[in-house]
């Protein structure tokens, strides 16, 4: 499975034109009164998903068929070849699907132009969703859509290389200082300590551990140049310049999981999607997962999630809400977890999940202190520019990287 940051970056420019552009030309996204009236009775729901593979597609199609059979509706689940592009085209053409996956990194773009039905408070027990996930899908104080599942980052350790470096459980790092000390021991043993992707979707975890983040909690102000963020990037730069960490490209790999799987680093920082990737591509690699080391302000990680979006122009909103209700029940979320490896978004089934998948404890524990993506519209080009600057971090002053983002982000946010 490809790293999450790669999944949604390629078509960002298309989304900005296809979704936001028509809104400025009077598409009616922010005026649902111009849409078709709500239909009653049985509906034929059209559902568009961004599937991770055959297992997810089958699981969602089977669940939709069971719901349809018990409710008297029909439900057609279509796996998108390119979710962002197909949604952009559908919205631009005025024919969006009734229900669709919405990536957290794209959520504010859709919510800000009125493309989404804000139904979150009509789902049973919305407070049962993890607080960080509710926050991710809240815009202007309203919970728009139900989180379907989530992922977090953790530290993945190659146990054979760990032993080869002469390390024991006592060397597992729980703080930045310990991470540095352990990495130096690994380097002294002739091995590369850490592979980390050169994007805010990985390096951003260090900002959270230092007590910082890129924007204010309400997403309206850029906060990149805070002392906490400078401290975090300075620490990451030290790891890179001291040879204690390398970007995947420097290790002749496409992402951290590949570098790790090929044995080119003893540790990597990745999400729980790495399980499937290692099982598929590097089945002989033995590893363990631990929570990310805490920074000066405590533990911190990043969360990656999607919600079940419902189109504001759908004629089948009531049936769509009932469909989402079924897809986000605790029982169904556990079934999805068993089928394709996601973590449930409802807190009430966390105990059942960890009992079934004890090795995933470090990932799901991160839900209590995870930071979601920047939750503001029209920020994608600014964030891509930040990734470009982070690639240059080993030879660039961290303050300059953050100053560049601060200037660009504040200009974008001022137009929202």
């Amino acid at each position: 499975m490809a790293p999450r940051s790669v999944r949604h970056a390629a078509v960002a420019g298309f989304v900005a034109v296809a979704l936001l552009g028509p809104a400025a030309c009077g598409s009616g996204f922010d005026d649902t009164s111009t849409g078709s009236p709500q239909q009653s009775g049985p509906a034929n729901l059209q559902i568009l998903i961004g599937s991770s593979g055959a297992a997810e597609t089958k699981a969602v199609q089977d669940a939709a068929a069971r719901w349809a059979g018990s409710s008297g509706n029909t439900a057609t689940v279509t796996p998108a070849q390119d979710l962002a592009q197909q949604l952009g085209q559908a919205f631009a053409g005025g024919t969006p699907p009734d229900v669709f996956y919405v990536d957290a990194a794209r959520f504010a773009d859709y919510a800000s132009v009125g493309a989404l039905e804000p139904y979150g408070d009509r789902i049973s027990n919305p407070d049962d969703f993890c607080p960080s996930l509710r926050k991710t899908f809240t815009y202007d104080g309203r919970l728009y859509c139900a989180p379907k599942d989530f992922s977090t980052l953790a530290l993945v350790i190659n146990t054979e290389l760990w032993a080869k470096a002469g390390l024991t459980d006592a060397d597992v790092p729980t703080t930045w200082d310990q991470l540095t000390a352990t990495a130096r021991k690994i380097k002294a043993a002739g091995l590369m300590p850490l592979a980390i992707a050169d994007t805010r979707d990985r390096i951003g975890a260090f900002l959270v551990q230092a007590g910082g983040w890129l924007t204010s909690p309400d997403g309206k102000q850029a906060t990149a140049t805070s002392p906490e963020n400078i401290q975090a990037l300075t620490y990451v730069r030290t790891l890179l310049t001291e040879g204690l960490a390398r970007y995947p490209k420097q290790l002749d790999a496409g992402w951290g999981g590949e570098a790790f799987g090929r044995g080119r680093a003893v540790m990597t920082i990745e999400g729980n999607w790495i399980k499937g990737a290692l099982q598929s591509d590097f089945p002989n690699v033995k590893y363990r997962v631990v929570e990310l080391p805490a920074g000066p302000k405590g533990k911190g990680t990043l969360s990656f999630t999607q919600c079940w979006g419902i189109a504001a122009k759908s004629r089948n909103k009531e049936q769509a809400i009932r469909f989402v209700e079924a897809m986000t029940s605790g029982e169904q979320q556990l079934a999805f977890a068993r089928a394709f490896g996601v973590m449930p978004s409802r807190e009430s089934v966390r105990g059942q999940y960890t009992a079934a998948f004890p090795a995933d404890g470090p990932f799901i524990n991160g839900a209590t202190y995870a930071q979601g993506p920047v939750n503001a519209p029209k920020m994608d080009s600014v964030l891509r520019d930040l990734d470009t600057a982070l690639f240059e971090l080993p030879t660039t002053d961290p303050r300059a990287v953050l100053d560049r983002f601060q200037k660009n982000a504040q200009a974008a946010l001022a137009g929202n």
Side-chain angles (χ1 to χ4, degrees):
M1 183 180 294
R4 289 291 176 102
S5 58
V6 172
R7 289 182 174 186
H8 57 67
V11 295
F14 182 92
V15 174
V17 174
L19 177 60
L20 302 181
C25 300
S27 68
F29 287 151
D30 54 359
D31 182 9
T32 57
S33 65
T34 63
S36 301
Q38 168 72 27
Q39 288 187 331
S40 59
N44 179 14
L45 292 186
Q46 298 299 312
I47 301 145
L48 187 66
I49 67 172
S51 179
S52 60
E56 180 171 358
T57 297
K58 184 178 186 303
V60 177
Q61 288 176 337
D62 289 349
R66 286 192 297 271
W67 172 80
S70 64
S71 67
N73 297 284
T74 59
T76 302
V77 176
T78 303
Q81 295 298 312
D82 189 321
L83 180 63
Q85 183 177 21
Q86 288 174 237
L87 278 177
Q89 291 171 334
F91 276 111
T95 57
D98 299 289
V99 183
F100 46 92
Y101 285 6
V102 177
D103 192 277
R106 301 264 63 81
F107 163 71
D109 285 331
Y110 290 104
S112 66
V113 295
L116 299 178
E117 176 71 12
Y119 71 89
D121 60 355
R122 298 170 64 185
I123 290 287
S124 297
N125 196 12
D127 290 342
D128 186 36
F129 294 113
C130 297
S132 62
L133 304 183
R134 293 202 309 271
K135 180 180 178 181
T136 294
F137 295 115
T138 295
Y139 185 79
D140 281 348
R142 303 181 73 178
L143 176 62
Y144 265 69
C145 49
K148 73 179 194 68
D149 50 49
F150 75 105
S151 304
T152 63
L153 299 177
L155 187 68
V156 189
I157 297 171
N158 182 312
T159 53
E160 289 185 343
L161 294 180
W162 189 262
K164 183 178 179 179
L167 303 179
T168 68
D169 286 351
D171 295 297
V172 173
T174 59
T175 67
W176 282 6
D177 287 344
Q178 291 173 2
L179 177 60
T180 301
T182 294
R184 285 172 175 164
K185 290 181 182 180
I186 295 172
K187 183 183 178 184
L191 300 170
M192 174 50 58
L194 177 67
I196 181 172
D198 54 330
T199 72
R200 84 271 183 185
D201 284 340
R202 302 296 182 274
I203 294 174
F206 289 92
L207 306 185
V208 182
Q209 293 156 14
W213 187 236
L214 297 168
T215 56
S216 58
D218 63 5
K220 298 185 182 302
Q221 297 293 323
T223 57
T225 53
S226 70
E228 293 83 3
N229 289 334
I230 293 172
Q231 182 182 23
L233 282 199
T234 299
Y235 176 69
V236 174
R237 186 177 187 274
T238 299
L239 292 176
L240 293 165
T241 56
E242 200 175 315
L244 304 179
R246 286 285 183 268
Y247 291 149
K249 292 177 183 177
Q250 297 173 304
L251 300 173
D252 195 26
W255 64 293
E258 181 185 359
F260 181 84
R262 294 187 182 280
R264 293 171 183 166
V266 178
M267 302 179 288
T268 191
I269 295 173
E270 281 295 338
N272 46 300
W273 53 80
I274 197 174
K275 297 187 304 175
L278 292 177
Q279 182 178 357
S280 173
D281 299 332
F282 308 101
N284 296 322
V285 172
K286 297 179 174 59
Y287 67 96
R288 65 182 293 193
V289 180
V290 300
E291 293 179 56
L292 292 178
K297 295 295 176 64
K299 293 182 178 182
T301 188
L302 302 181
S303 68
F304 305 87
T305 183
Q306 295 173 319
C307 76
W308 290 98
I310 295 177
K313 284 185 172 292
S314 171
R315 300 179 65 193
N316 305 304
K317 293 175 188 174
E318 294 302 322
Q319 298 93 331
I321 292 171
R322 292 198 292 272
F323 172 81
V324 174
E325 182 87 50
M327 296 302 104
T328 57
S329 70
E331 180 181 1
Q332 183 59 66
Q333 288 203 10
L334 289 172
F336 284 152
R338 290 189 292 269
F340 55 97
V342 293
M343 297 193 300
S345 59
R346 286 195 177 274
E347 293 187 302
S348 58
V349 295
R350 181 180 298 177
Q352 294 170 263
Y353 177 85
T354 53
F357 304 97
D360 284 359
F363 289 118
I364 202 163
N365 289 345
T368 60
Y369 52 82
Q371 169 68 53
V374 170
N375 193 0
K378 305 176 186 177
M379 284 286 288
D380 200 82
S381 63
V382 176
L383 292 167
R384 291 200 312 274
D385 182 74
L386 173 60
D387 286 346
T388 299
L390 289 173
F391 179 75
E392 301 165 355
L393 180 61
T395 58
T396 304
D397 179 5
R399 178 63 188 251
V401 172
L402 295 168
D403 280 343
R404 174 170 155 179
F405 176 83
Q406 180 77 19
K407 178 181 178 181
N408 293 338
Q410 201 55 51
L413 293 171
N416 290 335

